[in-house]
Amino acid sequence: MPLHHDGPLARLRRGHEELVLGLLRKHGPLSRAELGRHSGLSRTTLYDIVGALVDSGAVVATAPAAGERRRGRPVETLTLHPEAGQVIGIDFARRAVHVAAINVAHEVMGSAGEAHEPDLPWQERVDVAERLVGSLAGGTLRLGSLGAIGVGVVGPVQDTAAEEHDGTEPRRDLPLLLRKRFGVPVLVDNNTRLAALAEATWGAAAGDQDVLYLRLSHGVGGGLVVGGSLHRGAYGLSGEFGHITVEPDGRRCSCGGRGCLETVASVGAVLEAHDGADDLPTLLADPAAATLLDGVGAKVGTVLAAVCNAIGPGVVVIGGELAEAGEALFGGVGRALAADLMPISRNRVDLRPAALGEAAGALGAIALVLHESPLLARYPASPDSEEHT
Amino acid sequence: MPLHHDGPLARLRRGHEELVLGLLRKHGPLSRAELGRHSGLSRTTLYDIVGALVDSGAVVATAPAAGERRRGRPVETLTLHPEAGQVIGIDFARRAVHVAAINVAHEVMGSAGEAHEPDLPWQERVDVAERLVGSLAGGTLRLGSLGAIGVGVVGPVQDTAAEEHDGTEPRRDLPLLLRKRFGVPVLVDNNTRLAALAEATWGAAAGDQDVLYLRLSHGVGGGLVVGGSLHRGAYGLSGEFGHITVEPDGRRCSCGGRGCLETVASVGAVLEAHDGADDLPTLLADPAAATLLDGVGAKVGTVLAAVCNAIGPGVVVIGGELAEAGEALFGGVGRALAADLMPISRNRVDLRPAALGEAAGALGAIALVLHESPLLARYPASPDSEEHT
């Protein structure tokens, strides 16, 4: 009964690429010989790795000016492609498009968003995205230099694509649509999971290794960072906290189940349960909604406690529009956590509001494209990219 | 806002060591030059890695016989240390000690177990363990050649040790006790989590990347393999499925909470709920226990569904004595899973009985020591080893 090995050579190669890119980011331009010394890789391996990175456009090899050449073969200098680092992320939420972009130094160049009707056709959503991208950084973003686009979408993103969960036309054409429009590869993932990635990379849980992210919005979902890696689940359906049963005899849920957390803690469910408010800001400003919000918080906390006992995260981040309720909601969450978390764990789970607001999904889509975060070390490169279309 | 980097050089070095050990296991004896070709590592890196492995005793360097020498410096051959591979695992369960041992080829040489009273002092439990180890493989195990011992214990194993959960004397002396007795390093982890590791390495879920393991025994607990790695949680308390609330107004649990799954689905709880059986085999043989077991299964399934919606495992393994109930229990589990799993996930979660029986914890302790399983790639080397004592 030998132990199983999970492609150590493939993992090693990926590690080598990350090492080379990291050294070039840290040291600036280096020769192959310098890279060899810093990396500890053999000449053969290094040339292979560098060749692939140059082919992919991530790294540029520059020959020295004539005057600088030494005898023999000129020594090329390797640098990160100055524009390959420009990445945009687009979050196609249920009722809005959000975009964000970063430059080669991985600084956010800007983000923007625009609400739309939930039934807006995909073609027009892509129009909105293109316009928003064009507006970023005062229009200085050169789309010709993009390396890739990361995209967040609503609902499960599965290995074998294509179930449609937001009631409009099939989403499966989206990557192709975007690829035609922007001319670069497109990586797609669930936008809530991407928001979790963003919060754990740059937001409320930056640097934490075990993070549970819950989003209370028009839908209720979440994402997990588990042992320092964004978790996807065996078939692309992890983090579905919104579909954990909280009321066995409760209302029918959009997922087909009954009494899911989403039937209680979504924006729509909360609005429906409260008289006298047509939108969430009005409801949140109404003192009469306090009991409702506290009860919703308790249901949320019950689900979070069960998941925390199972997974043991150090940080729980709650985002989405409903999290704007603040203490009115978080009070109930904390009470239920105190009741249902294992006593030994109670002081170990840190409850925090999300920090990145509505740009989180777009920022997470960027992190997905960069794919160099340790959070993605064991994450599939492209769970639902355009080759599936 | 730069991305965080999590010690890529340390991870790379660990990967290099695993690569070299894996090549020696696969190919048998190799020269450094051959290892260099197979591994793609530079001469400098390879000599460094091999030197450390030779120093640690894991690898032996052998000079060729005089007649076989070519001109110049003799070419040494590197092999795995023939005895360094002998590892024993000990599972100190609540009422029994189990041991197992493997040889250098990672074949199980044998396993053995012995029941004892729950209040047996640790010194005497270690006596039992030593005697059982001595009986393995017809007494051929040479303890002098052991590299390390893996140990499973009941209850949470935390970073900062030493809360005591089984009602006897403090467990914190155990690693020291074992080290004195066997003279080798001791790695300790929760025995249920180790059983999960064993089932995912060699048992019911061998080769699966996302596994939920639940053990229904005198306690109720479990373990998670998440994205191909054994999961420990932010503070060593993951997999505590037994302490997820199933009856908010239910009985007080040993953990201090109320209505936990363990108050319903442990061996003790089931025996207490059924008249006319003093032990589990008698109860399981009694047709009148069918309704009880079905109801317990339904509670188990409700908890499993919540955790599955959160984590998305491909396989759920149920072990422990109560799993011997078979369909009487699994029927209720399956029904609750069907009711509470997201409909889209229902056909994707494979429910299986455990395969390794009561040796699972000891086998998992061995896997912990080997630490070369990809399942442990991101697992701490020694969450509670003897340096804490």
Side-chain angles (χ1 to χ4, degrees):
Chain A
M1 61 205 243
L3 292 169
H4 297 271
H5 280 271
D6 176 28
L9 284 169
R11 280 186 288 138
L12 199 65
R13 186 182 175 91
R14 177 78 212 152
H16 291 161
E17 290 181 357
E18 286 183 6
L19 182 67
V20 167
L21 292 171
L23 288 169
L24 291 175
R25 179 160 298 115
K26 181 176 171 195
H27 294 282
L30 294 174
S31 69
R32 283 180 178 77
E34 289 165 329
L35 265 177
R37 278 198 299 280
H38 286 299
S39 67
L41 297 175
S42 74
R43 184 183 158 92
T44 310
T45 306
L46 183 66
Y47 273 59
D48 179 34
I49 297 292
V50 167
L53 289 173
V54 168
D55 288 347
S56 78
V59 168
V60 183
T62 317
E68 296 170 14
R69 291 192 184 178
R70 304 181 205 157
R71 279 176 304 174
R73 200 175 160 209
V75 175
E76 285 186 336
T77 301
L78 301 164
T79 49
L80 292 179
H81 193 297
E83 291 170 342
Q86 280 195 349
V87 175
I88 61 175
I90 307 174
D91 178 3
F92 291 103
R94 276 174 212 256
R95 297 152 188 255
V97 176
H98 298 281
V99 305
I102 60 163
N103 64 16
V104 66
H106 293 178
E107 295 158 344
V108 174
M109 299 169 68
S111 65
E114 188 173 307
H116 60 68
E117 291 302 310
D119 58 354
L120 191 71
W122 279 105
Q123 192 78 45
E124 294 178 41
R125 297 190 198 198
V126 172
D127 291 344
V128 173
E130 188 173 10
R131 181 154 37 76
L132 290 172
V133 166
S135 75
L136 287 178
T140 60
L141 196 73
R142 275 172 297 167
L143 288 181
S145 69
L146 277 178
I149 296 179
V151 174
V153 294
V154 170
V157 173
Q158 299 172 75
D159 296 324
T160 50
E163 283 192 67
E164 177 50 26
H165 270 255
D166 58 2
T168 63
E169 70 209 73
R171 196 184 67 201
R172 79 186 74 177
D173 294 338
L174 179 61
L176 194 61
L177 212 58
L178 289 165
R179 172 149 191 123
K180 279 186 187 158
R181 195 72 65 96
F182 292 97
V184 293
V186 176
L187 302 186
V188 180
D189 210 327
N190 173 270
N191 62 353
T192 306
R193 202 182 294 147
L194 293 177
L197 175 62
E199 292 287 351
T201 305
W202 297 307
D208 288 295
Q209 299 292 297
D210 289 276
V211 180
L212 191 168
Y213 170 80
L214 174 70
R215 179 145 75 170
L216 303 171
S217 180
H218 297 284
V220 173
L224 292 167
V225 171
V226 169
S229 297
L230 185 66
H231 180 54
R232 193 158 172 268
Y235 41 87
L237 286 172
S238 75
E240 296 289 354
F241 311 130
H243 301 291
I244 292 177
T245 306
V246 291
E247 296 181 338
D249 302 316
R251 299 171 58 180
R252 186 61 70 182
C253 177
S254 65
C255 78
R258 185 175 288 284
C260 301
L261 181 63
E262 186 168 293
T263 67
V264 172
S266 69
V267 169
V270 170
L271 281 174
E272 199 166 315
H274 182 69
D275 284 337
D278 290 335
D279 57 43
L280 192 65
T282 309
L283 185 148
L284 295 183
D286 181 355
T291 307
L292 169 65
L293 290 170
D294 188 76
V296 169
K299 295 284 187 192
V300 168
T302 299
V303 164
L304 289 176
V307 180
C308 285
N309 284 335
I311 308 179
V315 182
V316 171
V317 175
I318 304 184
E321 293 92 323
L322 201 58
E324 304 294 323
E327 189 53 28
L329 181 89
F330 278 70
V333 175
R335 205 173 57 248
L337 280 176
D340 285 350
L341 273 181
M342 280 184 81
I344 196 176
S345 302
R346 277 176 200 163
N347 295 322
R348 296 165 185 263
V349 180
D350 196 1
L351 181 64
R352 302 176 190 166
L356 298 178
E358 57 188 18
L363 288 169
I366 289 173
L368 181 71
V369 169
L370 296 179
H371 207 278
E372 66 178 31
S373 162
L375 295 168
L376 291 168
R378 299 172 314 112
Y379 204 75
S382 171
D384 188 31
S385 60
E386 80 268 40
E387 59 264 30
H388 290 137
T389 64
Chain B
M1 58 207 244
L3 292 168
H4 297 270
H5 279 273
D6 175 28
L9 283 170
R11 279 186 289 136
L12 200 65
R13 186 180 176 91
R14 178 78 212 151
H16 290 162
E17 289 181 358
E18 285 184 8
L19 182 66
V20 167
L21 291 171
L23 289 168
L24 291 175
R25 181 160 298 115
K26 181 176 172 196
H27 294 284
L30 293 174
S31 68
R32 283 180 176 80
E34 288 165 332
L35 266 177
R37 279 198 298 281
H38 286 299
S39 68
L41 298 174
S42 74
R43 185 182 158 93
T44 311
T45 306
L46 182 67
Y47 273 58
D48 179 34
I49 297 291
V50 166
L53 290 172
V54 169
D55 288 347
S56 77
V59 167
V60 183
T62 317
E68 296 171 13
R69 290 192 185 175
R70 305 185 204 154
R71 280 175 301 174
R73 197 175 161 209
V75 176
E76 285 186 336
T77 300
L78 301 164
T79 50
L80 292 179
H81 192 298
E83 292 170 342
Q86 278 195 350
V87 175
I88 62 175
I90 307 175
D91 178 3
F92 291 104
R94 277 174 211 252
R95 298 153 188 253
V97 176
H98 298 282
V99 304
I102 60 163
N103 64 15
V104 64
H106 292 176
E107 295 158 343
V108 174
M109 299 169 67
S111 64
E114 187 173 308
H116 59 68
E117 292 302 309
D119 57 355
L120 191 71
W122 279 106
Q123 192 78 44
E124 295 179 41
R125 295 191 199 197
V126 172
D127 293 343
V128 173
E130 188 173 9
R131 182 156 35 78
L132 290 172
V133 167
S135 75
L136 286 178
T140 60
L141 198 70
R142 278 170 296 168
L143 288 181
S145 68
L146 278 177
I149 295 180
V151 173
V153 294
V154 170
V157 173
Q158 301 171 73
D159 297 324
T160 51
E163 283 192 69
E164 177 49 25
H165 269 255
D166 58 2
T168 64
E169 70 210 73
R171 196 183 66 201
R172 78 186 75 175
D173 294 337
L174 179 62
L176 193 61
L177 213 58
L178 288 166
R179 173 151 190 120
K180 280 185 187 157
R181 195 72 66 95
F182 292 99
V184 293
V186 175
L187 303 187
V188 180
D189 210 326
N190 173 270
N191 62 353
T192 306
R193 203 183 294 147
L194 293 177
L197 174 62
E199 292 287 351
T201 305
W202 296 306
D208 287 295
Q209 299 293 298
D210 289 275
V211 179
L212 191 167
Y213 171 79
L214 174 71
R215 180 146 73 171
L216 303 172
S217 181
H218 298 284
V220 173
L224 293 167
V225 171
V226 169
S229 296
L230 185 66
H231 179 55
R232 195 159 170 267
Y235 42 88
L237 285 172
S238 75
E240 296 288 355
F241 311 130
H243 301 291
I244 293 178
T245 306
V246 292
E247 295 182 340
D249 303 315
R251 299 171 58 180
R252 184 63 68 182
C253 178
S254 64
C255 77
R258 187 176 287 285
C260 300
L261 181 63
E262 187 168 293
T263 67
V264 171
S266 69
V267 170
V270 170
L271 281 173
E272 200 167 314
H274 181 70
D275 283 336
D278 291 334
D279 56 40
L280 192 65
T282 309
L283 186 148
L284 295 184
D286 182 355
T291 306
L292 169 65
L293 290 170
D294 188 76
V296 169
K299 295 284 187 192
V300 168
T302 299
V303 165
L304 290 176
V307 180
C308 285
N309 285 334
I311 308 179
V315 181
V316 171
V317 176
I318 304 184
E321 294 91 322
L322 202 58
E324 304 294 322
E327 189 54 27
L329 182 90
F330 279 70
V333 175
R335 206 175 55 248
L337 281 175
D340 284 352
L341 273 180
M342 280 185 79
I344 197 176
S345 302
R346 277 177 200 162
N347 296 323
R348 295 165 187 263
V349 180
D350 196 1
L351 181 64
R352 302 177 191 166
L356 298 178
E358 56 188 19
L363 289 169
I366 289 174
L368 180 71
V369 169
L370 297 179
H371 207 280
E372 63 180 31
S373 161
L375 295 167
L376 292 168
R378 299 173 314 112
Y379 203 75
S382 173
D384 188 31
S385 60
E386 79 267 41
E387 61 265 26
H388 291 137
T389 65

